[in-house]
Amino acid sequence: MSNPRTGPGASKGTPSKSASGRGGEKPAIGRQGEKAASVKAPKPALAKAQSPKPPSNRAERTAERRAAIIEAALDEFIARGFTATRIDDVARRAGVAKGTIYLHFKDKESMFEELIRTALVPLIGRLHAPPPIGGSVRDAVEAFARTFIQEVASTRRGDIVRLIVAEGPRFPSIADFYYREVVSRGLAGMRALIELAISRGEIRQKNLARFPQILVAPAIIAVIWQSLFSKHAPLDATEMFRVHLDLIFGERRTT
């Protein structure tokens, strides 16, 4: 008789137990499959975390909020003057909380400096570009004068200059900042152009390089005149500048 432990039935039962009995391999394989799936699952989340879009949107919103504060500050400074302008009024006009202002600027003086830096400094930077090849120094100065009259004297940028003239003596730190960031750069650029014109023979008065303020004087006159006297006697600032350059460079020859 066959032993029931070693008979054909038992030999079939043994592999069956190792393959599918309690503690068999199939449930283990299932657990390993779940573990492998759990390793692969974080990939979409990682890709989402690395997406640059949310930070970009935050940066854009921050820049827009800062620009709105600057615009509101300019409105307040023009309407009330530097002394009377309050941070609360700027925040209300910009549509932000007062605390938001202090995330960008420590006080209204730093806001005013930002107005100067963004509205006027880039314009002055154009003076440092040399005249185009074949172009005269007069052409370069005249082009700058037209730009200044169009973008400063006839716009709200001119109000910034007028505020500095009016309130600079009471706030010397603002006047110092304006001189350092705008005036000194403008004079240096103008002096370089004058010296180039002298070396080319376009300007015969060599002492003019000592006083570049003379060359830009009509620009300042145009800014002040626009706010005080334009309703009484409108000024053609571009034509005034042309006559001024005739006195310095000589009249243009007509052919």
Side-chain angles (χ1 to χ4, degrees):
M1 293 179 65
S2 62
N3 189 335
R5 297 180 180 271
T6 58
S11 62
K12 290 180 181 179
T14 301
S16 175
K17 184 178 180 180
S18 63
S20 59
R22 289 180 302 176
E25 295 300 324
K26 285 185 178 180
I29 292 173
R31 287 193 297 272
Q32 289 174 356
E34 290 172 359
K35 184 176 181 181
S38 67
V39 173
K40 294 180 180 180
K43 287 185 177 180
L46 180 62
K48 184 177 181 181
Q50 291 176 341
S51 174
K53 192 171 182 180
S56 176
N57 287 341
R58 286 196 297 270
E60 290 174 3
R61 288 195 298 269
T62 299
E64 289 172 359
R65 192 175 296 114
R66 184 182 180 88
I69 292 170
I70 286 295
E71 185 72 16
L74 178 57
D75 291 337
E76 288 295 320
F77 286 136
I78 292 173
R80 303 174 184 271
F82 183 83
T83 304
T85 293
R86 302 183 308 160
I87 296 292
D88 304 73
D89 298 325
V90 175
R92 188 179 303 108
R93 188 182 286 266
V96 300
K98 183 178 179 180
T100 303
I101 301 286
Y102 291 109
L103 293 177
H104 297 271
F105 305 100
K106 63 179 182 179
D107 50 30
K108 67 178 180 179
E109 186 173 305
S110 63
M111 280 194 294
F112 196 82
E113 290 176 355
E114 182 70 4
L115 282 173
I116 295 171
R117 188 181 293 109
T118 57
L120 298 176
V121 171
L123 179 65
I124 297 301
R126 300 181 196 177
L127 273 177
H128 294 272
I133 297 175
S136 67
V137 173
R138 171 170 179 155
D139 289 338
V141 174
E142 202 162 353
F144 173 78
R146 285 196 301 269
T147 300
F148 184 90
I149 291 168
Q150 292 170 1
E151 298 187 14
V152 178
S154 302
T155 69
R156 296 206 303 165
R157 288 175 176 170
D159 292 321
I160 300 174
V161 179
R162 287 185 281 271
L163 278 168
I164 294 167
V165 172
E167 305 207 38
R170 284 180 288 175
F171 300 94
S173 60
I174 290 178
D176 292 345
F177 180 85
Y178 182 72
Y179 178 84
R180 183 173 64 253
E181 298 294 325
V182 178
V183 176
S184 63
R185 295 182 183 187
L187 291 179
M190 197 60 70
R191 182 178 287 110
L193 288 175
I194 293 171
E195 290 173 347
L196 178 60
I198 291 172
S199 68
R200 290 181 176 183
E202 292 185 53
I203 293 178
R204 289 181 292 177
Q205 178 52 266
K206 296 182 179 181
N207 284 329
L208 184 62
R210 295 173 53 200
F211 305 103
Q213 295 91 337
I214 294 174
L215 194 57
V216 297
I220 304 302
I221 292 173
V223 169
I224 296 174
W225 193 278
Q226 180 68 22
S227 63
L228 295 178
F229 310 121
S230 61
K231 65 180 180 180
H232 303 293
L235 177 66
D236 187 339
T238 302
E239 181 64 13
M240 178 182 67
F241 220 112
R242 187 192 64 77
V243 173
H244 180 67
L245 294 182
D246 281 345
L247 295 174
I248 294 173
F249 289 90
E251 292 188 30
R252 288 187 182 275
R253 294 180 181 178
T254 57
T255 56

